[in-house]
Amino acid sequence: MRTRSTVAALAILFAVAAAAAPAPARQERAALTPLEATNRLLAQPWAAFGKQLEIDAEHGIEGFEGKKLAGGGGSVGITYKGVGVTAKWEFGVKARNVLANFDLTSPPGIVAASPTLLAFDAPRTGGWRFGYQAIYETYAWVKVAGTKIWQKTYLWPMAISIQDFRIPARAVLNSSEPDRPRLISATITPTMKLGGSGLFPAVIPVTFRTTVEQGKLTMVADAFSMPIAEFGFANARIEAGLRIVLQPLSANTGDEDIIDFGKNRMKMTVAMTGTLKTSIPYVPSAKESFGIDLFAFKANVPTTPELNDLLHLTKQPTPRSWGEGQTKGWVPEAPANVDYATTAASLEAGIDDHLPYGAILSIDCTTLRPSVRLRCDDYTWAGAEDSAIWTGHYLAAESFRYASGDLAALPRIEKALAGIERLFWVAGDVAISDGARVPVKYQRGLLSRSAMPFRTRRGPPVAQYSEGPVNQRKCYYQRPEGGWKAAGRTYARLALVPKAQRAAAEPVGTVWGGWGCDDDHPVTKDQYTGVFYGLTVANRLVANTGVQSRTRTLIRDALDYLWSTGWNIRVPPKDRIEESFLGDFSKQMAFLRIGASIVGQPYVDRYAELSPANEHAWIPIWFKATEPVIQYYGFNLSHAALTSALLLEDDPVRRAGFTRAHSILWRPVRHHHNAYFALLRVLAQPPAQRAIFAQTKTPWLDPTMTVEKEIRSVLYDWIRRYDAVKTSSGMPASSVGDPTVQAGMLPSELAQYVAFDGSTRRLSVFALPVRGRSGRDKDFVWQRDPFDTAFRGSDATCQTIPPTAAEVARCGSRPNRVHPGVDYLLAYWLGVYVGVLPKPPLP
């Protein structure tokens, strides 16, 4: 079957291949090919993650135990012993001794990867199996006047197995634009064998009809008929069909504030349903055909974000584009005398308020005083879910500042480093889930989203998170600064306390709480990506012995944790995998490059062995680039990972893979008026080429501008927004800077954007200037798409077209939230570092 859907996508589930070559004197392992290295990377997370979901699925199907699979009953008039009477009857089938046996051992893999062809087999070798066996208990009775005149129970064992389940997929690409390969066509040809034992035939030939629509892959088998001679009833026969559906676990909500934890899980629904036809003695006129669920289960199977995206691709051009070629919204060239440094200094002066414990947080004011723009008499902390990410980005900003010659950045670097150290430290002792205290398995390298001291009865008040105190969450980390006291002794961690004494152990000193365990917002690879980015830039650019040592230790511990878990993120207290790097091998290679450069062995050897996979680093980046609007934050995270790799990699061959991936990442966003991404594009050039690239023209925008002028103009627009929304603390609020930009927008300037999952949102057809964008979520403006408008909410008054300036201001703002301004500081100091912005005068 051919389809323009990206089913070819089974692409990114992936596999393992290792080769060995004999040498004359000793056995030496031959160098891996790019495909072999890539498949090995993709297979590393599969073994443990696939096994976990395999066991989960088996437990789920075993919940079939005792379930009524078919049946019916009622009353009917019959003649019994020559007398007309009313008889009651009942019939049913239940499952007993249910046992499931799934096998997802073989990982999928890439079998061909070139600019014109991507070919995937799921699995790479062999096949998957979904097996089920049970004893079906069939019972029936007939009653007359309360007396059973007939009853029958029959046990029939049966095993059903879907074997050799395979999904080969092929995608043909047009590579005429190297930075934007386009999908020409895709094919998918799923196959399997259906069979069993007991009363179920050993082999049943089936033919599947396969369709892919809005991210859902459906396989339907032709109906088959199966006589059951020994069923115990007359003329027994089962007529059934098989339906298999694969679709991403979490549909996109259209709200980028919603965190999606289903990225590495896909829902698989299997249903073998039909009818059971039989006859019941004495009641020939009773219903003789009953619906039956022979085999039905729902399970999560491993997947990747890219696979989810690919299954969503339908008949739309791939990759998609939005806002290209539009001249409206162009940012005018900034005046030559713009003072960029004063805005940075103002943010630097106020950011300490957003670093209460060394890690970045936003502020939610509970008391507003409009007369002074915004004054927080009472407040709570916001943004705890991404505190690790933005602390890493802030550390990078201050490191660029230091590398630009401003040594006043060093105390701020040390403060941010202390905050990141605490995010790791707080997760290394105890997890409390549903009130139960459990020692954490991983002492180092496990990351928390945020950290905050608990309020004590005698201590001063402590501002809480906007979502409530951390110790009222379903799961949280706990770690006292002084350790644990039990039976007169003090222990550094609860795991060191004798088991018999742990329940009575008391925390010593200030007690800290962290967030991100169990299934309550578990820490994700996004948090690690942001932290790795900051640590790498600091280690690379800050010539300070203490900073070098601390960043190296943190990188080593985090990499050791990820390597030991097979690139899966296991979280306490159950040590379950809640997210995985499965399919995200561009980040895996970036992190291994970091380890090789900063940690040394064993990562030097690991990176050297797997570095041929750099040639294919573009593949997951291309998958991300197919969708230029939804979950836009992914572009920022991919930039963070690739920037880290490009800062460190100087081998031309290895660097070429990262460079190509960065070009494909840049193409869909280059017209978005994103100063930070443009600066990272400058940084990605070899140092000797940066100034030359900064002076190239921008034909994808205003062809009269250079890259440097466009960056300066967008940052000037950021300043204009800041001047309109800054609070009395000097920090920016989540408000629209200039509501008149969106006011009066005509229907022709808006369009329905149809995402690959079928959801829709109404967007501007051109990239809005920064000062006029919706302000609700502008904690880091560069991670939000530039097409979002203020009038797409559920409030009917926010649907008016054209809107007034007052409506835009109200509907596009969250005026009580104050942000730390990391987005400007990072872009500004990076601009100074690469020479696009002038250096500020030093004191």
Side-chain angles (χ1 to χ4, degrees):
M1 180 203 77
R2 296 186 68 83
T3 173
R4 286 185 62 93
S5 77
T6 54
V7 243
L10 284 169
I12 342 227
L13 287 175
F14 323 174
V16 59
R26 61 175 180 170
Q27 294 290 323
E28 292 184 354
R29 188 166 51 192
L32 297 175
T33 67
L35 268 183
E36 289 170 338
T38 301
N39 282 330
R40 179 171 291 186
L41 275 172
L42 298 172
Q44 284 177 340
W46 181 272
F49 190 48
K51 189 64 178 179
Q52 175 177 297
L53 295 186
E54 179 184 297
I55 293 172
D56 289 347
E58 290 178 346
H59 289 167
I61 199 171
E62 287 165 6
F64 237 43
E65 182 71 34
K67 181 179 178 181
K68 190 172 182 179
L69 308 179
S75 59
V76 63
I78 67 171
T79 300
Y80 181 64
K81 295 183 179 180
V83 179
V85 295
T86 297
K88 292 184 178 180
W89 63 278
E90 185 174 331
F91 170 84
V93 179
K94 290 184 178 180
R96 305 290 189 192
N97 300 334
V98 176
L99 181 64
N101 184 7
F102 290 4
D103 185 357
L104 299 173
T105 303
S106 298
I110 302 176
V111 296
S114 74
T116 58
L117 175 66
L118 292 176
F120 317 102
D121 284 351
R124 175 79 162 77
T125 59
W128 294 328
R129 184 182 72 248
F130 305 95
Y132 163 88
Q133 67 183 48
I135 295 177
Y136 285 60
E137 178 186 273
T138 307
Y139 60 91
W141 50 257
V142 180
K143 289 182 181 179
V144 173
T147 301
K148 286 183 179 177
I149 62 173
W150 178 85
Q151 64 177 1
K152 180 74 175 182
T153 300
Y154 185 75
L155 302 179
W156 41 300
M158 187 166 70
I160 304 173
S161 181
I162 297 172
Q163 301 176 8
D164 295 334
F165 186 88
R166 294 180 56 78
I167 309 180
R170 305 291 182 263
V172 178
L173 305 177
N174 180 339
S175 62
S176 59
E177 296 179 89
D179 58 352
R180 178 178 279 178
R182 290 190 177 276
L183 182 68
I184 297 174
S185 64
T187 60
I188 178 169
T189 53
T191 61
M192 70 173 63
K193 295 178 182 177
L194 180 63
S197 60
L199 293 182
F200 201 81
V203 176
I204 293 183
V206 291
T207 301
F208 281 94
R209 299 182 305 278
T210 303
T211 59
V212 180
E213 185 177 7
Q214 300 295 354
K216 182 169 67 174
L217 185 152
T218 303
M219 294 167 278
V220 179
D222 293 335
F224 57 87
S225 181
M226 182 175 64
I228 308 180
E230 300 179 5
F231 185 65
F233 303 94
N235 304 317
R237 172 176 291 275
I238 291 177
E239 294 179 353
L242 179 63
R243 180 185 178 90
I244 300 174
V245 178
L246 286 166
Q247 64 184 132
L249 185 64
S250 300
N252 178 54
T253 63
D255 186 347
E256 293 215 358
D257 289 334
I258 300 298
I259 301 173
D260 177 12
F261 299 112
K263 296 176 182 178
N264 290 112
R265 296 166 176 81
M266 177 173 287
K267 183 171 69 176
M268 181 177 189
T269 304
V270 177
M272 184 182 293
T273 60
T275 58
L276 170 60
K277 296 182 178 181
T278 186
S279 298
I280 299 176
Y282 298 101
V283 288
S285 60
K287 183 179 180 181
E288 297 179 350
S289 181
F290 307 93
I292 185 168
D293 296 327
L294 276 175
F295 181 47
F297 70 88
K298 294 180 181 179
N300 293 333
V301 295
T303 185
T304 69
E306 293 81 7
L307 174 59
N308 292 349
D309 290 341
L310 285 168
L311 287 178
H312 280 136
L313 300 181
T314 56
K315 296 181 179 180
Q316 305 167 59
T318 305
R320 297 191 60 190
S321 175
W322 192 264
E324 290 191 63
Q326 297 287 335
T327 57
K328 185 166 185 179
W330 276 2
V331 179
E333 185 174 338
N337 62 345
V338 174
D339 180 2
Y340 298 96
T342 295
T343 297
S346 179
L347 294 170
E348 295 278 12
I351 202 168
D352 274 338
D353 289 344
H354 293 262
L355 291 158
Y357 312 112
I360 287 288
L361 290 168
S362 294
I363 294 173
D364 277 347
C365 296
T366 53
T367 302
L368 302 182
R369 294 186 179 179
S371 61
V372 290
R373 288 196 177 169
L374 184 61
R375 177 183 177 85
C376 286
D377 292 331
D378 300 295
Y379 63 91
T380 54
W381 298 114
E385 66 277 5
D386 285 337
S387 181
I389 293 178
W390 304 131
T391 306
H393 282 62
Y394 174 63
L395 176 60
E398 295 296 342
S399 300
F400 286 122
R401 177 185 179 188
Y402 182 94
S404 300
D406 190 345
L407 302 187
L410 185 58
R412 296 182 178 275
I413 290 168
E414 292 173 332
K415 186 172 185 177
L417 265 179
I420 291 174
E421 287 169 335
R422 183 172 286 116
L423 295 180
F424 283 105
W425 172 84
V426 76
D429 190 354
V430 172
I432 299 180
S433 180
D434 294 327
R437 199 163 60 183
V438 180
V440 171
K441 177 180 178 181
Y442 301 96
Q443 182 182 352
R444 293 184 297 271
L446 178 61
L447 183 62
S448 175
R449 287 180 174 271
S450 62
M452 177 182 291
F454 291 154
R455 180 175 182 176
T456 62
R457 283 177 291 181
R458 298 187 187 90
V462 175
Q464 298 297 326
Y465 294 122
S466 299
E467 299 85 357
V470 69
N471 59 351
Q472 293 180 11
R473 313 280 172 93
K474 176 185 176 182
C475 185
Y476 60 94
Y477 295 110
Q478 183 182 37
R479 189 159 195 179
E481 290 183 353
W484 298 86
K485 189 171 184 179
R489 290 186 58 186
T490 301
Y491 302 85
R493 294 180 296 112
L494 187 67
L496 303 176
V497 178
K499 289 184 179 180
Q501 300 173 15
R502 286 178 187 172
E506 293 291 334
V508 178
T510 302
V511 180
W512 289 78
W515 190 29
C517 56
D518 207 356
D519 58 356
D520 181 14
H521 287 71
V523 68
T524 66
K525 61 184 179 182
D526 298 356
Q527 315 301 313
Y528 278 93
T529 301
V531 167
F532 271 121
Y533 174 48
L535 295 175
T536 300
V537 175
N539 186 278
R540 181 74 169 178
L541 300 183
V542 181
N544 176 276
T545 302
V547 171
Q548 296 283 310
S549 176
R550 292 166 72 184
T551 53
R552 180 185 182 277
T553 297
L554 290 168
I555 289 169
R556 180 202 64 201
D557 290 348
L559 268 178
D560 285 352
Y561 164 76
L562 292 175
W563 187 268
S564 70
T565 60
W567 298 98
N568 295 309
I569 298 179
R570 290 185 175 274
V571 294
K574 301 170 187 175
D575 196 36
R576 282 183 57 84
I577 299 168
E578 291 296 336
E579 192 174 71
S580 174
F581 281 86
L582 176 62
D584 209 350
F585 55 89
S586 60
K587 289 190 178 71
Q588 287 173 278
M589 286 312 303
F591 296 166
L592 286 175
R593 174 69 271 177
I594 293 169
S597 297
I598 296 175
V599 178
Q601 292 294 2
Y603 293 102
V604 172
D605 289 343
R606 290 169 179 171
Y607 177 72
E609 180 183 25
L610 294 169
S611 61
N614 287 5
E615 183 176 318
H616 296 146
W618 67 273
I619 296 175
I621 299 299
W622 180 81
F623 291 152
K624 173 58 194 170
T626 60
E627 173 58 90
V629 173
I630 307 300
Q631 295 184 340
Y632 192 84
Y633 58 83
F635 285 105
N636 179 55
L637 296 168
S638 294
H639 272 98
L642 289 175
T643 296
S644 301
L646 288 168
L647 276 173
L648 300 170
E649 185 56 80
D650 54 9
D651 179 86
V653 176
R654 293 171 175 171
R655 183 180 174 86
F658 291 132
T659 300
R660 184 186 182 199
H662 197 274
S663 296
I664 291 175
L665 181 66
W666 165 244
R667 177 60 185 267
V669 300
R670 66 184 188 180
H671 62 287
H672 287 186
H673 302 313
N674 193 312
Y676 175 54
F677 288 175
L679 282 162
L680 290 178
R681 188 65 181 153
V682 176
L683 183 68
Q685 310 304 312
Q689 300 297 317
R690 288 171 183 166
I692 297 173
F693 180 81
Q695 297 308 314
T696 58
K697 298 291 186 179
T698 59
W700 54 86
L701 282 169
D702 184 344
T704 66
M705 276 203 185
T706 63
V707 171
E708 177 181 307
K709 287 181 179 179
E710 206 254 338
I711 291 170
R712 289 185 173 215
S713 300
V714 174
L715 288 180
Y716 173 55
D717 210 45
W718 196 100
I719 294 172
R720 295 174 68 186
R721 174 182 181 270
Y722 168 74
D723 288 340
V725 304
K726 66 182 175 182
T727 66
S728 57
S729 68
M731 307 308 283
S734 290
S735 299
V736 181
D738 183 0
T740 64
V741 171
Q742 293 186 44
M745 285 188 76
L746 303 174
S748 60
E749 296 171 330
L750 299 165
Q752 288 290 343
Y753 182 89
V754 182
F756 290 134
D757 64 357
S759 63
T760 62
R761 61 171 66 181
R762 188 168 50 183
L763 299 177
S764 168
V765 299
F766 57 88
L768 295 165
V770 172
R771 72 184 185 281
R773 297 178 193 176
S774 174
R776 288 184 302 260
D777 52 7
K778 291 304 177 286
D779 52 340
F780 193 84
V781 67
W782 319 119
Q783 72 155 346
R784 306 296 184 183
D785 77 80
F787 309 104
D788 185 28
T789 62
F791 35 97
R792 68 171 180 89
S794 57
D795 187 341
T797 62
C798 296
Q799 301 290 326
T800 306
I801 302 294
T804 65
E807 288 170 335
V808 171
R810 181 178 63 82
C811 297
S813 301
R814 184 188 279 173
N816 67 317
R817 177 158 294 183
V818 184
H819 292 306
V822 173
D823 48 355
Y824 183 83
L825 289 176
L826 180 52
Y828 172 74
W829 288 116
L830 174 54
V832 173
Y833 175 73
V834 297
V836 168
L837 297 176
K839 286 188 176 183
L842 297 178

